[in-house]
Amino acid sequence: MCGIVGYVGNKNSVPILLDGLKKLEYRGYDSAGLAVPGNGMVEIVKEVGNLSHLEDAVSNNRINGNLGIGHTRWATHGRPTQANAHPHNDCKNKISVVHNGIIENFIELKEALIGRGHTFHSETDTEVIPHLIEECYDGDLFEAVQSAIKDLEGSFAIAVICQDNPDLIVVARKDSPLIIGIGDREYFVASDIPAVLNYTKDIFILQDCEMAKITSKGISITTFEGEEVNKDIFKVKWDDEAAEKGGYEDFMLKEIYEQPKAIRETLRDKFGKDGEIIFEEVPFGKEKACELNKVVIIACGTSYHAGLVGKQAIEQWAKVPVEVDISSEFRYSNPILNENDLVITITQSGETADTLAGVREAKNRGATVIGVTNVLGSTITREADGMIYTHAGPEIGVAATKTLVSQMAVLYVFALYLAKCRGTLSDEEIAAIACDIQKLPDQVEEILSANGKIKDVANKYANCADFLYLGRGIGLPVALEGALKLKEISYIHAEGYAAGEMKHGPIALLDEGVPVVAIATKSKVHEKILGNIQEVRARGADVIAVSTFGDKEIEKVADHTFYVTETMETLSAILAVIPLQLLAYYMAKARGCNVDQPRNLAKSVTVE
Ligand code: M6R
């Protein structure tokens, strides 16, 4: 949802800004731009399209300087045109701003500014910011920014520079992420940590309503009201390679293959030596677990599908009723919650606007909120009452893969934890399930190394216009996720559906041209799904099945089968989803799609 970068130091800022933007391209790639103080005015280069267009433009332009800001855009207000690309300037082209977020009151601000003689060149909400700063500026950029942001409603992370002071960046954040990397007499500003990892692992994480004055000589951080803030340095543990492709063609493929490691790392701090289950940052012990009335899980997209899997584990093991809701629906649903309810909110980025709004709604109603995220220091970590971290490492591909399986893994363990607190499973049962959970990384590895024919199947069906994904029980969230993956990266229409519901409508869609992907892993509804597959075949549709190694029945009814390792039914979701990620990946590649940067999407959706 837009990425911003900044650099101040003693090096040429341009290659550093471009490198940072490359790492942030997952946040948006409709246009990109840079601003560097130059000859009498701030010089700007901006181009429509992904970063490669900006790189070409920069190589034909002698723009350079020891300070600069940059932006990669996911369009919200105004189409992806050059005029709408950031940075945006004031009337005199002295002050330049990059912005991530949405200024909700920009229309009234813009009308007032125009009334006072300002000229606008774009349709963006952002452009009001440099003009407001211009009005407040009398030689002190920090003070001007501090005054101007008082008028802004909505969310913003901004970096501001001014021609008059080519050694100063002013940054401010409210409801949009911003970090500052600390180098040797140099500083790096970015929306997210991977953008600075090539240069430093020492980070300041700016919190809401904080701003900073950054020069090559030092940094001072204050609240919007000017109160000094002393911050601890956050030491990043990822290595630089975590944010690189590492020999893979795309981030998505790399991240699919990183899944065994992601699950292993995620589980590492959740199990103690004697089989103890550890959630260090969860304020939810035996007493609260026993009083628990219900659990509500809220999330969006792929994280919502992880929630559907979590529901089955919690209900089955901890015997608590669980509702799963899409965050954007939940927040306006007038939810019935009280202090005996637990809300689990799942967001890999920790920044999804609808999910954060849902959290505030749940807290207002007295529920305890536990967040599940992959990003330390993200907004959810400050808003939730307790946190569960996945340790999947940075996920750059827009399509969530390794964060999904890590979310499923922690939900399995948390379900077990609740069961232990509530006494709904015996110690032996808990130990057996824990043992199976810890086998999952090796089992995912096994599935990944036996995926040979998925590419051929993908090539065969890559030109089909529609797909139906069917599942029952634990297979249903897998079907939904398989369909979402295919849609978002290959632009093929795909529907995920409960297999038993098919005869109530979607069966009308079927003919020889609509392949059906059926999740048919070993389960109590295996016979039922085999019956559904027969119904599909009777309508002429080809069937691609996901089943368990050794299933002989499936071979009689499916045209193609991808096998996964046998595990207990509830855990099978984490395994069955792997072939579907690869199927979507290879299908998208066969169609020539950019899998890491699917059209119209962004990795973190920080707008409503
Ligand atoms: O960061 P979050 O987990 O809150 O993101 C939620 C969705 O935006 C995300 O899962 C989206 O659906 C992915 N692109 C799916 O691959």
Side-chain angles (χ1 to χ4, degrees):
M1 218 53 16
C2 298
I4 69 171
V5 291
Y7 173 80
V8 56
N10 44 24
K11 303 194 181 94
N12 179 9
S13 63
V14 174
I16 296 170
L17 295 172
L18 287 173
D19 182 48
L21 289 177
K22 186 133 215 77
K23 306 286 167 26
L24 294 184
E25 249 196 318
Y26 71 87
R27 301 178 69 88
Y29 29 83
D30 289 331
S31 63
L34 295 180
V36 174
N39 303 321
M41 59 187 246
V42 176
E43 286 189 64
I44 304 259
V45 187
K46 47 191 187 181
E47 290 295 327
V48 175
N50 67 16
L51 193 66
S52 61
H53 298 94
L54 179 68
E55 286 170 332
D56 290 347
V58 164
S59 65
N60 298 326
N61 182 310
R62 288 198 300 275
I63 184 168
N64 74 64
N66 297 340
L67 168 131
I69 53 176
H71 187 269
T72 181
R73 178 167 188 247
W74 187 81
T76 56
H77 293 67
R79 292 175 352 98
T81 60
Q82 194 165 32
N84 289 333
H86 298 216
H88 291 288
N89 283 5
D90 69 327
C91 293
K92 300 186 198 90
N93 288 327
K94 274 174 72 164
I95 294 166
S96 203
V97 174
V98 287
H99 166 221
N100 167 213
I102 288 194
I103 306 305
E104 284 162 6
N105 59 338
F106 87 99
I107 294 179
E108 70 190 71
L109 291 173
K110 188 169 174 175
E111 281 169 2
L113 284 159
I114 290 172
R116 296 198 291 272
H118 291 262
T119 308
F120 280 75
H121 301 282
S122 79
E123 305 156 288
T124 65
D125 52 333
T126 302
E127 203 183 353
V128 298
I129 305 173
H131 291 281
L132 287 172
I133 298 171
E134 178 184 9
E135 288 197 340
C136 304
Y137 182 69
D138 64 0
D140 187 327
L141 186 65
F142 184 81
E143 278 181 10
V145 173
Q146 195 176 28
S147 301
I149 57 179
K150 288 190 185 129
D151 289 338
L152 303 179
E153 286 169 20
S155 58
F156 54 88
I158 53 171
V160 187
I161 58 172
C162 177
Q163 174 63 30
D164 293 346
N165 192 342
D167 189 43
L168 171 66
I169 304 180
V170 177
V171 297
R173 81 155 271 183
K174 182 178 164 275
D175 293 336
S176 291
L178 196 64
I179 61 109
I180 300 164
I182 308 157
D184 179 14
R185 280 168 296 151
E186 58 182 357
Y187 292 91
F188 309 83
V189 171
S191 298
D192 196 4
I193 292 171
V196 306
L197 276 187
N198 273 347
Y199 311 98
T200 180
K201 296 203 172 87
D202 291 347
I203 307 282
F204 286 133
I205 297 174
L206 228 57
Q207 305 296 358
D208 269 350
C209 302
E210 288 180 352
M211 54 190 298
K213 186 194 269 186
I214 313 168
T215 72
S216 58
K217 290 166 205 74
I219 178 168
S220 77
I221 302 177
T222 67
T223 62
F224 285 0
E225 284 71 43
E227 222 171 282
E228 201 180 321
V229 176
N230 286 316
K231 254 186 203 301
D232 291 335
I233 294 176
F234 173 73
K235 296 239 173 233
V236 182
K237 294 203 184 98
W238 308 330
D239 51 26
D240 321 0
E241 280 173 25
E244 304 288 347
K245 283 189 196 155
Y248 285 89
E249 213 171 308
D250 321 87
F251 280 111
M252 181 179 176
L253 191 61
K254 175 184 176 234
E255 287 157 5
I256 288 174
Y257 277 88
E258 281 175 344
Q259 292 183 110
K261 183 176 174 211
I263 304 171
R264 220 171 262 130
E265 290 298 316
T266 295
L267 293 178
R268 196 184 297 283
D269 60 357
K270 314 288 184 296
F271 289 111
K273 278 198 205 102
D274 311 315
E276 200 192 344
I277 302 172
I278 307 162
F279 284 101
E280 270 178 356
E281 292 185 40
V282 170
F284 211 84
K286 196 172 166 62
E287 200 181 324
K288 274 196 147 184
C290 290
E291 284 167 0
L292 195 54
N293 180 35
K294 70 171 177 205
V295 175
V296 178
I297 301 180
I298 59 168
C300 304
T302 290
S303 296
Y304 169 74
H305 298 151
L308 294 173
V309 172
K311 169 186 164 78
Q312 300 204 24
I314 295 171
E315 287 189 337
Q316 207 176 316
W317 300 336
K319 311 284 181 226
V320 197
V322 182
E323 294 165 16
V324 190
D325 215 345
I326 293 166
S327 309
S328 53
E329 290 298 317
F330 173 85
R331 63 183 290 191
Y332 296 115
S333 67
N334 201 4
I336 302 166
L337 290 171
N338 63 39
E339 52 288 350
N340 288 334
D341 297 327
L342 171 65
V343 171
I344 302 177
T345 177
I346 311 169
T347 165
Q348 62 77 24
S349 63
E351 302 292 347
T352 300
D354 285 320
T355 300
L356 293 172
V359 167
R360 289 167 203 141
E361 192 61 44
K363 282 179 77 178
N364 285 341
R365 286 160 197 263
T368 303
V369 177
I370 293 177
V372 175
T373 192
N374 195 45
V375 182
L376 283 162
S378 58
T379 305
I380 187 67
T381 63
R382 274 172 290 113
E383 302 237 356
D385 301 304
M387 283 309 303
I388 299 176
Y389 290 99
T390 55
H391 302 298
E395 188 176 71
I396 312 289
V398 165
T401 52
K402 62 177 179 170
T403 53
L404 165 75
V405 293
S406 306
Q407 289 166 348
M408 288 184 187
V410 289
L411 290 168
Y412 287 142
V413 186
F414 190 67
L416 217 49
Y417 171 78
L418 285 182
K420 194 177 170 93
C421 292
R422 291 166 59 82
T424 47
L425 292 177
S426 68
D427 287 349
E428 292 70 34
E429 286 168 318
I430 289 175
I433 297 172
C435 178
D436 280 357
I437 292 175
Q438 288 172 92
K439 285 182 192 154
L440 289 169
D442 288 349
Q443 292 170 337
V444 172
E445 218 145 51
E446 189 178 4
I447 295 161
L448 285 169
S449 58
N451 78 79
K453 64 180 177 191
I454 298 180
K455 190 172 180 180
D456 295 340
V457 175
N459 287 339
K460 178 170 176 194
Y461 294 101
N463 290 323
C464 293
D466 300 286
F467 271 76
L468 195 59
Y469 282 66
L470 299 178
R472 305 179 78 119
I474 199 69
L476 178 55
V478 177
L480 296 176
E481 174 60 12
L484 175 63
K485 279 292 89 95
L486 188 67
K487 277 185 271 211
E488 74 174 330
I489 60 169
S490 74
Y491 318 140
I492 297 173
H493 168 246
E495 266 196 72
Y497 228 83
E501 263 302 281
M502 191 186 52
K503 55 188 173 294
H504 301 288
I507 199 161
L509 292 170
L510 293 183
D511 62 27
E512 307 80 55
V514 182
V516 172
V517 179
I519 318 308
T521 43
K522 202 170 169 190
S523 75
K524 55 184 169 303
V525 287
H526 188 247
E527 288 303 317
K528 304 284 171 203
I529 193 103
L530 290 182
N532 297 133
I533 292 175
Q534 295 287 14
E535 291 159 10
V536 162
R537 284 176 64 83
R539 271 82 193 171
D542 277 11
V543 174
I544 302 164
V546 177
S547 191
T548 311
F549 284 119
D551 181 354
K552 294 283 172 241
E553 290 306 302
I554 199 75
E555 285 170 10
K556 298 179 194 151
V557 292
D559 298 277
H560 310 278
T561 306
F562 308 137
Y563 290 100
V564 300
T565 315
E566 185 170 352
T567 181
M568 56 186 302
E569 188 174 333
T570 313
L571 302 184
S572 66
I574 207 170
L575 304 181
V577 79
I578 309 289
L580 301 188
Q581 295 169 339
L582 286 166
L583 183 67
Y585 170 82
Y586 286 121
M587 209 106 76
K589 292 298 279 186
R591 291 163 68 89
C593 300
N594 182 340
V595 296
D596 286 338
Q597 297 176 347
R599 68 184 179 209
N600 305 334
L601 289 174
K603 184 78 186 162
S604 60
V605 185
T606 53
V607 294
E608 185 177 347

